[in-house]
């Protein structure tokens, strides 16, 4: 009888251990099911993506995507930083799954990448001149004096827009690429080395406040655009990721989350309404 009890206890212990092991194994797939998504961004474009005083990556783009990830538990977002010119190359070569750096639409990019349907911020480009100048209100005015205009880096949409206009209008503008430091851009304008540069209104407002820069934006925008997230084209992962993120961004627009983040990081409501 004693022997029978011992055997029964041993069997119960084995069954109990088996249940524990099964329980542990059943919880593993939930964690393993998370798909890692590598996001390419920058670390020196304040207030969109930059390192704070503790060296942590933050900014509007980063905080928006963190909120998105909270709504998409099937993904685990990981941020990797690159020089601006290397982000889209990294997306094209498969090193990252999503590009986030206030990217605008242009035909060249559309041939290579999949754009989200939901715009993240308004990104209308305007001409910026010294506050005292009243002779420049448009690219036509600038071309009439064979003016010098600072655009973006080689791969930016600013450069694409102005270069395209210039080629279509007799190449009368002198284009120079953006300086690595905003203070140099402002100094070049103040000294007369350049006659104008291209930027968005909220940056102009920030430069006036931060640097006390005597500048103003003039005329109508030379380009109407929004910023978007970019994904790999002809890739099932990219297509599904785009669909999932678009759905969350749409909800965040409707419930006011994106507007709150825009006001917090950008100083106003710069969220597209469509």
């Amino acid at each position: 009888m004693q022997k029978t009890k011992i055997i029964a206890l041993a069997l119960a212990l084995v069954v109990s251990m088996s249940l524990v092991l099964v329980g542990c194994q059943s919880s593993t797939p939930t964690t393993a099911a998370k798909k890692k998504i590598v996001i390419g961004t920058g670390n020196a474009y304040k207030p969109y993506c930059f390192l704070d005083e503790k060296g942590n990556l933050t900014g509007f783009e980063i905080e928006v995507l963190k909120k998105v990830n909270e709504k998409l538990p099937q993904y685990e977002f990981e941020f990797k930083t690159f020089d601006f010119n290397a982000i889209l190359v990294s997306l094209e070569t498969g090193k990252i799954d999503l590009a986030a750096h206030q990217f605008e639409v242009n035909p060249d990019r559309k041939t290579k990448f999949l754009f989200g349907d939901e715009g993240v911020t308004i990104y209308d480009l305007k001409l910026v001149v010294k506050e005292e100048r009243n002779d420049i209100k448009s690219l036509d005015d600038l071309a009439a004096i064979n003016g010098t205009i600072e655009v973006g880096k080689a791969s930016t949409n600013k450069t694409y827009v102005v270069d395209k206009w210039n080629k279509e209008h007799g190449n009368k503008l002198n284009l120079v690429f953006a300086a690595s430091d905003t203070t140099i851009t402002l100094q070049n304008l103040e000294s007369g080395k350049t006659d104008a540069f291209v930027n968005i209104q909220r940056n102009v407002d920030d430069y006036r406040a931060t640097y006390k820069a005597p500048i103003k934006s003039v005329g109508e925008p030379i380009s109407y655009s929004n910023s978007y997230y970019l994904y790999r084209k002809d890739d099932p992962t990219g297509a599904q990721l785009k669909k999932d993120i678009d759905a969350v961004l749409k909800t965040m627009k409707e419930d006011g989350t994106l507007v709150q983040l825009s006001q917090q990081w950008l100083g106003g409501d710069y969220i597209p309404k469509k």
Side-chain angles (χ1 to χ4, degrees), residues 19-119:
L19 289 173
V20 170
L21 289 172
V22 169
C24 291
Q25 290 171 352
S26 65
S27 66
T28 302
T30 303
T31 303
K34 282 183 177 288
K35 182 174 180 59
K36 180 175 285 188
I37 300 300
V38 181
I39 298 172
T41 187
N43 64 11
Y45 187 25
K46 196 173 184 178
Y48 303 98
C49 42
F50 64 98
L51 300 178
D52 64 17
E53 62 277 5
K54 295 181 179 179
N56 298 316
L57 185 64
T58 189
F60 175 79
E61 294 277 36
I62 311 306
E63 301 310 317
V64 167
L65 285 165
K66 285 179 180 178
K67 289 287 187 185
V68 170
N69 199 182
E70 290 175 6
K71 304 290 186 181
L72 297 174
Q74 67 270 38
Y75 298 121
E76 180 186 349
F77 287 0
E78 176 184 324
F79 296 96
K80 286 192 176 181
T81 60
F82 301 85
D83 179 74
F84 178 81
N85 293 332
I87 296 175
L88 293 185
V89 174
S90 298
L91 182 61
E92 191 173 10
T93 56
K95 292 180 180 178
I96 60 175
D97 303 297
L98 182 157
H101 199 292
Q102 293 289 287
F103 287 107
E104 305 157 76
V105 177
N106 67 45
D108 286 351
R109 288 175 180 171
K110 287 195 76 172
T111 61
K112 295 181 179 180
F113 307 107
L114 179 64
F115 278 77
D117 292 328
E118 295 291 333

Side-chain angles (χ1 to χ4, degrees), residues 135-255:
D135 58 326
I136 300 172
K137 295 287 173 59
S138 66
L139 288 174
D140 284 310
D141 292 338
L142 195 58
I145 61 171
N146 293 112
T148 299
I149 180 170
E150 180 182 287
V151 290
K153 296 181 180 178
S155 57
T156 64
N157 200 54
K158 296 174 188 176
T159 303
Y160 175 87
V161 169
V162 177
D163 186 51
K164 182 174 182 293
W165 187 95
N166 201 31
K167 288 174 180 176
E168 293 172 350
H169 293 79
N171 287 311
K172 294 179 181 178
L173 298 175
N174 300 301
L175 274 60
V176 296
F177 293 133
S180 57
D181 189 328
T182 299
T183 57
I184 297 175
T185 294
L186 298 173
Q187 287 170 4
N188 287 342
L189 188 70
E190 179 61 28
S191 69
K193 189 173 182 179
T194 59
D195 297 290
F197 65 87
V198 182
N199 218 310
I200 54 177
Q201 186 61 51
R202 57 184 177 273
N203 284 353
V204 176
D205 295 340
D206 178 62
Y207 297 163
R208 287 174 61 89
T210 303
Y211 301 98
K212 309 301 180 188
I215 60 174
K216 63 183 179 182
S217 60
V218 294
E220 295 297 316
I222 64 172
S223 172
Y224 293 90
S225 182
N226 295 326
S227 68
Y228 297 87
Y229 296 136
L230 276 65
Y231 310 85
R232 281 196 299 278
K233 205 168 189 178
D234 303 320
D235 174 26
T237 297
Q240 185 61 51
L241 184 61
K242 168 196 164 314
K243 180 180 178 181
D244 293 338
I245 290 180
D246 274 343
V248 174
L249 288 174
K250 187 173 187 297
T251 299
M252 289 170 65
K253 287 178 181 178
E254 293 169 350
D255 67 16

